[in-house]
Amino acid sequence: MRFVIIGGGAIGGSFGAGLIRAGHDVLIIEADAAHVAAMREGGLHLEGREVFSVRPQAVTPDEVDQALAGRGADVIVLAVKSQHTVSALQPVLPYLAENGVVLSMQNG
Protein backbone atom coordinates (compact mmCIF):
# COMPACT_ATOMS: atom_id res chain seq x y z
CA MET A 1 0.00 0.00 0.00
CA ARG A 2 1.33 3.42 -0.95
CA PHE A 3 0.83 6.25 1.54
CA VAL A 4 1.38 9.90 0.67
CA ILE A 5 1.51 12.13 3.73
CA ILE A 6 1.03 15.83 3.22
CA GLY A 7 2.76 17.59 6.09
CA GLY A 8 5.87 16.29 7.80
CA GLY A 9 5.45 17.94 11.18
CA ALA A 10 4.59 16.28 14.47
CA ILE A 11 1.46 14.51 13.25
CA GLY A 12 2.53 13.61 9.71
CA GLY A 13 6.11 12.83 10.66
CA SER A 14 5.15 10.56 13.55
CA PHE A 15 2.46 8.73 11.60
CA GLY A 16 4.73 8.40 8.56
CA ALA A 17 7.63 7.11 10.64
CA GLY A 18 5.40 4.44 12.15
CA LEU A 19 4.18 3.37 8.72
CA ILE A 20 7.73 3.22 7.36
CA ARG A 21 8.84 1.19 10.36
CA ALA A 22 5.97 -1.24 9.66
CA GLY A 23 7.24 -1.70 6.11
CA HIS A 24 4.84 0.51 4.14
CA ASP A 25 5.72 2.58 1.08
CA VAL A 26 5.53 6.20 2.30
CA LEU A 27 6.16 9.56 0.68
CA ILE A 28 6.13 12.66 2.88
CA ILE A 29 5.39 15.99 1.23
CA GLU A 30 6.51 18.98 3.27
CA ALA A 31 6.41 22.66 2.27
CA ASP A 32 9.42 23.62 4.41
CA ALA A 33 12.45 22.88 2.22
CA ALA A 34 14.80 22.97 5.21
CA HIS A 35 12.73 20.29 6.95
CA VAL A 36 12.76 18.16 3.79
CA ALA A 37 16.54 18.51 3.63
CA ALA A 38 16.84 17.52 7.30
CA MET A 39 14.66 14.42 6.76
CA ARG A 40 16.71 13.43 3.73
CA GLU A 41 20.01 13.93 5.53
CA GLY A 42 19.28 12.67 9.03
CA GLY A 43 15.96 10.85 8.77
CA LEU A 44 13.23 11.07 11.37
CA HIS A 45 14.06 10.20 14.96
CA LEU A 46 11.17 9.49 17.32
CA GLU A 47 11.33 9.23 21.08
CA GLY A 48 8.42 8.04 23.21
CA ARG A 49 7.48 4.58 24.40
CA GLU A 50 10.05 3.42 21.92
CA VAL A 51 12.97 5.19 20.33
CA PHE A 52 13.60 4.64 16.64
CA SER A 53 14.73 6.33 13.45
CA VAL A 54 13.65 5.95 9.83
CA ARG A 55 14.71 7.50 6.54
CA PRO A 56 11.61 8.69 4.72
CA GLN A 57 11.31 9.63 1.09
CA ALA A 58 10.59 13.34 1.54
CA VAL A 59 9.85 15.97 -1.10
CA THR A 60 8.63 19.54 -1.39
CA PRO A 61 5.33 20.24 -3.20
CA ASP A 62 7.19 21.24 -6.37
CA GLU A 63 8.80 17.78 -6.47
CA VAL A 64 5.51 15.85 -6.28
CA ASP A 65 5.16 15.17 -10.02
CA GLN A 66 8.64 13.67 -10.20
CA ALA A 67 8.21 11.65 -6.98
CA LEU A 68 4.81 10.22 -7.94
CA ALA A 69 5.27 9.82 -11.69
CA GLY A 70 3.76 6.48 -12.65
CA ARG A 71 2.85 5.64 -9.05
CA GLY A 72 -0.51 6.35 -7.50
CA ALA A 73 -1.38 6.88 -3.87
CA ASP A 74 -3.66 4.39 -2.13
CA VAL A 75 -4.00 6.66 0.89
CA ILE A 76 -3.39 10.39 1.08
CA VAL A 77 -2.98 11.54 4.67
CA LEU A 78 -3.63 15.23 5.32
CA ALA A 79 -1.49 16.41 8.22
CA VAL A 80 -1.58 20.14 7.59
CA LYS A 81 -3.56 22.91 9.27
CA SER A 82 -7.12 22.92 7.97
CA GLN A 83 -6.76 26.31 6.28
CA HIS A 84 -4.15 24.74 3.95
CA THR A 85 -6.33 21.80 2.85
CA VAL A 86 -7.14 22.91 -0.71
CA SER A 87 -3.65 24.11 -1.63
CA ALA A 88 -2.01 21.04 -0.06
CA LEU A 89 -4.23 18.57 -1.93
CA GLN A 90 -4.01 20.18 -5.39
CA PRO A 91 -0.68 18.71 -6.51
CA VAL A 92 -1.45 15.25 -5.08
CA LEU A 93 -5.10 14.50 -5.93
CA PRO A 94 -4.35 13.59 -9.57
CA TYR A 95 -2.31 10.66 -8.20
CA LEU A 96 -5.00 9.24 -5.90
CA ALA A 97 -5.77 5.65 -6.93
CA GLU A 98 -9.27 4.95 -8.25
CA ASN A 99 -10.27 3.28 -4.98
CA GLY A 100 -7.96 5.42 -2.86
CA VAL A 101 -8.94 7.40 0.21
CA VAL A 102 -8.03 10.70 1.80
CA LEU A 103 -7.54 10.55 5.57
CA SER A 104 -7.66 13.79 7.55
CA MET A 105 -5.38 14.01 10.55
CA GLN A 106 -5.69 17.78 10.78
CA ASN A 107 -5.91 20.33 13.51
CA GLY A 108 -6.33 24.09 13.56
Side-chain angles (χ1 to χ4, degrees):
M1 184 171 283
R2 175 119 171 118
F3 290 85
V4 173
I5 299 176
I6 305 171
I11 294 171
S14 297
F15 189 66
L19 289 170
I20 292 165
R21 186 175 183 212
H24 292 285
D25 183 3
V26 176
L27 172 68
I28 296 176
I29 301 169
E30 169 59 48
D32 182 346
H35 187 46
V36 170
M39 286 189 281
R40 287 175 177 169
E41 185 177 314
L44 285 172
H45 182 75
L46 278 78
E47 296 181 15
R49 281 188 180 160
E50 298 179 70
V51 176
F52 68 95
S53 297
V54 296
R55 284 206 178 268
Q57 179 187 10
V59 300
T60 59
D62 61 329
E63 298 170 316
V64 167
D65 288 334
Q66 182 180 355
L68 290 175
R71 300 171 67 190
D74 299 303
V75 179
I76 294 174
V77 178
L78 275 171
V80 296
K81 300 280 189 235
S82 60
Q83 65 265 29
H84 301 298
T85 300
V86 173
S87 61
L89 277 173
Q90 285 177 336
V92 182
L93 274 181
Y95 297 100
L96 182 62
E98 186 175 318
N99 293 319
V101 298
V102 177
L103 170 65
S104 174
M105 295 183 76
Q106 297 174 278
N107 63 18

